[in-house]
Amino acid sequence: MLSKTVCLAVLLMTAFAVSTPVFAQATGRIAGLVTDASSSQPLASAMVTVVGTNVGTLTGPDGRYMLTAVPFGSVTLRVQTIGYAPRTTAAITISDNTLREQNVKLEMQVVELSALNITGAVGKKGSVARALDVQRSASGIVNAISSEQMSRSPDGDAAAAMQRVSGATVTDGKYVSVRGLGERYTTTSLNGAKIPSPEPEKRIVPLDLFPAGLLESITTSKTFTPDQSGDFSGGQVNIKTRDFALARLVTFSSSFGLNDRVAGYSQYTAPRTGAEWLGFGGSGRALPVPLQAAGDFQQQLNASQYNALVGAFRNAWSVNERTGTGNYSLGGSVGGTDAVFGQAISYLGSLSYSYGEEVRHGEIRARALAGDAGTTLEVDRFAGSTGRSSVLWGGMANLSTLLGQSTRVYLNNTYNRSAENEARFESGVSENFGNIPLQINRLKYVERDVYSTQLGASHALTATQSVDWTGTLSGVSRNEPDRSEIVYAQQADPATGALLPSAWMSVNSEGAVRTFGRLDERALEAAANYKLSFGKAGTNGIKVGGLFRNTSRDAFNKAYSISSLTLPTTARELRPEEIFDGRFTSEGQGHFNVSPLGAGGTYTARENLGAVFGMLDFDLSTRLHLIAGARVEHSEVEVVSQGTVSTDTARTSPSFTDFLPSLALNAKLSESQSVRLSVSQTLSRPEYRELANLQYRDVIGGENVVGNPDLVRTLIRNADVRWEWYPRDGEIVSVALFGKQFQNPIERVYRATSGTSIATFVNADGARTLGVELELRKQLGSFWTALESMSAFTNVTLMDSKIDIAESASSATNSNRAMVGQAPYVVNAGLTYSPAESDISATALFNIVGRRITTAGELPLPDVYEQARAVLDLSVRAPLRRGMSVKFDARNLLDEEYELVQGSVVREKYRTGRSFSFGVTWTR
């Protein structure tokens, strides 16, 4: 909690500090970025001088420079460094202390050339061309999304933006998987440091926690190099927060929108308490003190004590109904570079806030039973609707400064928080309760947060040697306090057969359940790298480094059942809030019983991870470049779990040491074409929850899930080849082939049981996946000059996988199937209108993910599939005047059903509606 408080304080103080102007100096200032023209990589230790004066400086390790005391008048800059042709800028007029920005690209020098004059600047940060430069210059196969691309789409967070990445799929609007490999094979880092997940049963970070307005870029690495974490195989997603502006930049934005199935319609809502508008549910949702004192309920309680326990619960059970309203968001940022006591400080402070209302309209869920001749039969069918209100806000405060001419020090602070308040009402029948009509009220509130504080530095030791290091403190939490579920049943009159009024199903342990869950994880990471460049223009290099990360997680989940054998029928027919308002818990009454449910418990996890690596970048010839090396990772994990109604603990302590080699060969076919080949070995470790020997379950029709402390990590062999062609700036054509072979892949399977289904996790014998990726981004003006302002893009990924489940796993799942989560295809397409002479833009975006397995079926039942679902979005941007612009976004225009099927049975389906928003942005 202290770390979060410090992070928030830094955010607020920086936002205030940077909004206060610094006193002007007597002379002018020029700042900018010097980069390699072909790769857009920053050039350190380049000399920047004001022609005809003694004013000069060297660029820092990140290629940035700042000149102070620049004399008034018309000046030019000369930029030079070893291995590159020197350049002289066009004239720059200095008449006041306003910071002028001049970025420069240097061409690699093959023969001695005379100085060149330039008039342009490097591509705008966050541009499409800059994103493609990242892909083009990367050692491995990557895909990048820039802030400009995000600004031209209706994507409000990082998860939505990831839908545009070739081969990426997004589930539940949060969880990203790459190349259809499932969530466990994707890792997430923030500004290069891995961040933990706030989900109790997933290792992946929900990317909807990161507002798009705070992001500079999202880069997805699909091939492994030794300087990356070894625990990914599908993709490593690095979220980079916005970079510093050299000139003072202030931005404010706001938007308002609606959903066509929410606004103006009656919606289910949950009772509110505390500061939920900020994502803080308040103390009223906390686990009641009498429940904490009762502990494991090993002592016999009397009627008075049971009454006290019942009265301690928050008396909120029923969904409410009200008319849906609109969605809105606010955001603001200030950034720049100013001199503070003679020291140039770059800064960026930003805050954003959004509120939205969602619906699952026409919601249906059911279970499937095996019929004759391979058919499936529908049972336990429930129909209803879910209403949800959500809050997402976040902020960042980044600082950076250049010490001397060779050291750049930076401090990045990020805090994001979300909360979802959900109400669900459904009615149907359950086979376990004699197929009598049931009505279920569910109230669920979840708040999540993630924070990161990172201190780092880059040191240019010499013209060919550099060192960089980072220290990162990050953490996440997920709090699901006071989830409630209550079930009413409608019995038939024994005499007439007529249905009686619905009454609380009080005699069953699932009739009224309250659940309390919380997860807190904290990680401390330290990393350092040394790089030695050599050869012509420093294109060859040796890089070595190491990393240490300590992670600790504490999680608990406790569920309590309220039941009654003596409450009269007339009382059970009352509303839940009347049954539990105290009228039946007065002195002398003893109707209720409270007991903990076996599902759930607590567990703690501790992990120490150490890694060292070495890699070589080497030009085998003028057209052939080798990247080779290896990484060694040692992981020690301890997971201790304890059930809700047990005093016994289970402990597992897996330890692994892995050698992870990598070899890549990049062949330059021409100035615009290249071929990349890569082979490597990576791994995937079990998630802490999967190792905890605890059982979790939803009420009425929910699945039982239990961990497996005997799981081992998965080893994956990867092979990739990609041909790339960059016809001109902002364009790309590429074709990639990839294959992966898995040893001991972890799969979620069903145990072969005669009673209720129990899902668990096992190591399969092996698996393999093959795929092809196609990517095209093209300016349409090359076909017809009238289309000069239009560009189109598409990326298509086709995949095929097969799992080999071991018989020893005692699994009743189909072994002749694809891997869970493996989509056979992913298609993204878009069309953008953006005139060169204007800031107007309009973009249409299309996405579809193929039919994929979500859960392996329990034989003789088939697998559960999520059906293909097409999504069409539209975004329009237009400038007004004086720094103002407007935007219009339309999302999910097709509003196709989300649908899970198992054979002929629809396991789940619903629609979410179309969303429209209008916004205004002001920039100065």
Side-chain angles (χ1 to χ4, degrees):
M1 186 63 191
L2 178 62
S3 301
K4 298 178 188 177
T5 304
V6 172
C7 192
L8 282 169
V10 173
L11 290 174
L12 295 174
M13 288 189 295
T14 303
F16 174 78
V18 298
S19 63
T20 305
V22 181
F23 291 109
Q25 302 177 29
T27 52
R29 299 171 297 155
I30 302 175
L33 179 69
V34 179
T35 58
D36 182 294
S38 61
S39 68
S40 292
Q41 294 298 305
L43 297 178
S45 301
M47 174 62 73
V48 183
T49 57
V50 179
V51 176
T53 73
N54 61 357
V55 177
T57 188
L58 294 175
T59 58
D62 55 359
R64 293 180 179 276
Y65 72 91
M66 173 173 276
L67 295 167
T68 57
V70 179
F72 285 179
S74 180
V75 300
T76 57
L77 304 183
R78 181 177 174 84
V79 185
Q80 55 189 354
T81 189
I82 297 173
Y84 289 83
R87 287 201 167 191
T88 303
T89 69
I92 306 168
T93 301
I94 305 296
S95 58
D96 54 34
N97 187 244
T98 301
L99 183 67
R100 267 66 174 183
E101 182 174 358
Q102 180 63 60
N103 301 323
V104 180
K105 286 185 175 181
L106 296 184
E107 298 281 355
M108 191 177 296
Q109 188 176 41
V110 180
V111 295
E112 186 65 31
L113 299 174
S114 58
L116 300 175
N117 292 330
I118 62 171
T119 57
V122 72
K124 183 173 58 176
K125 293 186 185 71
S127 68
V128 175
R130 182 75 178 272
L132 290 181
D133 282 341
V134 171
Q135 295 181 202
R136 186 175 186 174
S137 60
S139 297
I141 296 176
V142 305
N143 288 97
I145 305 174
S146 68
S147 56
E148 178 187 322
Q149 289 170 285
M150 286 185 274
S151 71
R152 292 182 177 180
S153 74
D155 303 330
D157 54 58
M162 280 296 295
Q163 293 182 99
R164 321 304 175 189
V165 173
S166 176
T169 56
V170 179
T171 57
D172 199 24
K174 306 173 186 178
Y175 310 115
V176 174
S177 58
V178 180
R179 288 178 166 176
L181 288 176
E183 299 159 356
R184 72 170 61 251
Y185 300 109
T186 301
T187 60
T188 303
S189 59
L190 180 65
N191 295 319
K194 186 177 179 181
I195 52 178
S197 170
E199 300 301 318
E201 298 182 17
K202 299 176 184 288
R203 72 187 300 268
I204 193 168
V205 177
L207 296 189
D208 64 329
L209 277 172
F210 300 94
L214 302 183
L215 308 182
E216 176 70 24
S217 64
I218 306 174
T219 304
T220 305
S221 300
K222 297 179 179 178
T223 57
F224 171 69
T225 53
D227 55 348
Q228 297 175 311
S229 176
D231 59 344
F232 88 94
S233 292
Q236 178 165 289
V237 179
N238 182 48
I239 300 171
K240 186 177 185 299
T241 54
R242 288 171 55 188
D243 211 344
F244 308 103
L246 293 173
R248 175 69 67 89
L249 182 68
V250 180
T251 301
F252 175 79
S253 63
S254 65
S255 69
F256 177 80
L258 55 85
N259 183 297
D260 67 354
R261 292 188 183 272
V262 175
Y265 293 91
S266 179
Q267 305 292 330
Y268 292 130
T269 62
R272 299 179 180 179
T273 182
E276 290 185 14
W277 66 279
L278 278 176
F280 295 94
S283 59
R285 295 183 181 272
L287 179 65
V289 174
L291 268 295
Q292 299 181 44
D296 55 10
F297 281 70
Q298 296 299 310
Q299 296 181 351
Q300 183 65 38
L301 304 180
N302 58 39
S304 176
Q305 291 172 315
Y306 279 128
N307 288 341
L309 293 178
V310 171
F313 288 110
R314 188 171 64 101
N315 192 20
W317 299 90
S318 303
V319 303
N320 297 329
E321 290 190 61
R322 68 175 176 83
T323 302
T325 60
N327 310 321
Y328 60 89
S329 68
L330 298 169
S333 64
V334 56
T337 300
D338 286 308
V340 179
F341 301 112
Q343 180 69 33
I345 304 292
S346 298
Y347 54 85
L348 177 63
S350 185
L351 290 170
S352 68
Y353 175 89
S354 65
Y355 171 83
E357 294 186 359
E358 307 166 55
V359 66
R360 291 184 172 182
H361 179 76
E363 195 168 20
I364 293 174
R365 70 177 179 93
R367 288 198 310 119
L369 291 182
D372 297 331
T375 61
T376 51
L377 305 175
E378 181 186 75
V379 295
D380 297 356
R381 188 181 194 273
F382 286 83
S385 180
T386 299
R388 177 191 297 166
S389 61
S390 60
V391 167
L392 171 63
W393 64 273
M396 54 190 256
N398 295 350
L399 300 171
S400 174
T401 189
L402 186 65
L403 302 179
Q405 299 298 330
S406 60
T407 298
R408 172 73 66 181
V409 180
Y410 58 88
L411 176 66
N412 295 332
N413 300 277
T414 304
Y415 180 83
N416 295 315
R417 188 176 188 89
S418 74
E420 297 174 349
N421 199 6
E422 183 177 291
R424 178 171 177 172
F425 178 82
E426 59 185 1
S427 59
V429 296
S430 174
E431 185 186 43
N432 291 335
F433 299 101
N435 288 321
I436 60 175
L438 301 178
Q439 296 176 346
I440 305 175
N441 283 264
R442 284 189 173 91
L443 302 178
K444 178 181 178 181
Y445 176 81
V446 179
E447 54 190 34
R448 301 170 296 162
D449 69 358
V450 56
Y451 64 90
S452 174
T453 297
Q454 182 182 71
L455 177 66
S458 299
H459 309 273
L461 304 179
T462 66
T464 59
Q465 298 181 75
S466 64
V467 171
D468 64 84
W469 58 265
T470 58
T472 306
L473 174 64
S474 62
V476 295
S477 69
R478 184 186 191 273
N479 189 21
E480 187 178 345
D482 201 18
R483 173 179 175 178
S484 70
E485 290 143 316
I486 191 162
V487 183
Y488 274 56
Q490 195 171 18
Q491 300 280 1
D493 189 310
T496 65
L499 290 176
L500 299 174
S502 295
W504 172 40
M505 196 172 69
S506 63
V507 298
N508 191 280
S509 63
E510 298 188 39
V513 176
R514 301 299 277 258
T515 305
F516 300 84
R518 183 171 180 86
L519 179 149
D520 291 285
E521 185 169 331
R522 178 178 178 272
L524 181 62
E525 179 178 301
N529 303 305
Y530 165 81
K531 185 176 181 180
L532 170 65
S533 300
F534 58 91
K536 185 186 298 182
T539 55
N540 298 326
I542 296 174
K543 186 177 182 181
V544 296
L547 174 145
F548 175 78
R549 181 168 62 246
N550 172 265
T551 305
S552 61
R553 173 185 284 192
D554 296 282
F556 82 89
N557 184 280
K558 295 184 178 181
Y560 301 91
S561 169
I562 304 175
S563 60
S564 175
L565 298 176
T566 61
L567 202 63
T569 300
T570 53
R572 292 189 295 107
E573 292 174 353
L574 297 174
R575 294 181 66 252
E577 286 75 16
E578 295 174 313
I579 296 175
F580 300 110
D581 65 0
R583 67 184 70 182
F584 300 114
T585 56
S586 58
E587 187 67 30
Q589 292 183 306
H591 296 292
F592 297 107
N593 181 68
V594 179
S595 61
L597 294 177
T602 65
Y603 74 91
T604 62
R606 304 290 183 264
E607 180 180 15
N608 288 321
L609 174 72
V612 293
F613 75 89
M615 60 183 291
L616 170 69
D617 278 73
F618 188 73
D619 287 325
L620 299 177
S621 68
T622 57
R623 293 186 176 274
L624 209 56
H625 189 73
L626 175 72
I627 306 102
R631 184 180 185 91
V632 177
E633 291 192 352
H634 177 72
S635 169
E636 295 180 351
V637 178
E638 181 182 63
V639 179
V640 181
S641 58
Q642 180 179 359
T644 300
V645 294
S646 172
T647 57
D648 297 332
T649 59
R651 184 185 304 268
T652 182
S653 304
S655 176
F656 306 107
T657 300
D658 294 287
F659 179 74
L660 307 173
S662 171
L663 177 66
L665 197 62
N666 295 339
K668 189 174 183 181
L669 305 181
S670 67
E671 289 302 314
S672 60
Q673 296 185 61
S674 62
V675 172
R676 302 174 183 268
L677 297 97
S678 173
V679 291
S680 64
Q681 179 164 296
T682 54
L683 56 83
S684 176
R685 300 184 182 91
E687 202 278 327
Y688 303 138
R689 168 64 188 89
E690 295 171 349
L691 292 168
N693 191 23
L694 297 175
Q695 181 172 305
Y696 289 81
R697 180 175 61 88
D698 285 338
V699 171
I700 303 294
E703 254 179 14
N704 292 274
V705 182
V706 64
N708 178 3
D710 297 323
L711 290 175
V712 299
R713 53 91 176 90
T714 303
L715 291 177
I716 307 108
R717 294 176 179 174
N718 313 279
D720 294 79
V721 57
R722 180 158 102 164
W723 168 76
E724 299 174 349
W725 178 32
Y726 297 88
R728 57 180 182 173
D729 283 349
E731 294 186 350
I732 182 176
V733 181
S734 72
V735 180
L737 302 174
F738 63 89
K740 299 179 184 294
Q741 186 176 39
F742 299 78
Q743 177 185 338
N744 298 319
I746 299 171
E747 286 280 291
R748 175 170 163 155
V749 302
Y750 286 102
R751 285 180 177 175
T753 62
S754 58
T756 304
S757 297
I758 297 178
T760 188
F761 305 92
V762 300
N763 286 111
D765 277 351
R768 61 94 181 138
T769 184
L770 300 171
V772 57
E773 288 180 332
L774 312 172
E775 183 176 7
L776 170 66
R777 183 177 293 274
K778 182 67 176 173
Q779 305 291 332
L780 300 185
S782 58
F783 300 113
W784 186 22
T785 55
L787 300 178
E788 188 64 38
S789 300
M790 300 191 71
S791 62
F793 83 88
T794 185
N795 55 69
V796 179
T797 306
L798 307 175
M799 296 156 287
D800 178 74
S801 70
K802 183 177 175 60
I803 189 78
D804 182 13
I805 298 288
E807 293 183 6
S808 59
S810 299
S811 168
T813 69
N814 175 20
S815 61
N816 186 25
R817 58 171 172 83
M819 298 174 68
V820 171
Q822 172 75 71
Y825 64 86
V826 179
V827 178
N828 293 301
L831 185 65
T832 297
Y833 171 76
S834 181
E837 68 282 357
S838 171
D839 290 330
I840 294 175
S841 70
T843 303
L845 299 164
F846 175 82
N847 167 264
I848 186 170
V849 179
R851 184 173 182 259
R852 51 185 163 158
I853 298 175
T854 59
T855 306
E858 181 180 11
L859 292 176
L861 286 171
D863 301 318
V864 181
Y865 282 90
E866 179 181 341
Q867 299 290 76
R869 179 173 177 268
V871 178
L872 178 64
D873 300 330
L874 176 67
S875 182
V876 179
R877 303 288 187 271
L880 292 179
R881 52 181 301 184
R882 297 181 180 178
M884 294 188 68
S885 62
V886 295
K887 62 178 182 178
F888 172 78
D889 293 330
R891 293 182 59 86
N892 194 31
L893 290 174
L894 302 179
D895 195 20
E896 291 194 354
E897 282 185 332
Y898 170 85
E899 188 174 20
L900 294 180
V901 299
Q902 188 171 22
S904 61
V905 175
V906 176
R907 292 293 304 267
E908 185 177 4
K909 76 173 182 178
Y910 55 83
R911 296 183 189 272
T912 58
R914 303 170 180 86
S915 297
F916 305 91
S917 68
F918 177 82
V920 178
T921 300
W922 174 78
T923 302
R924 179 179 67 85

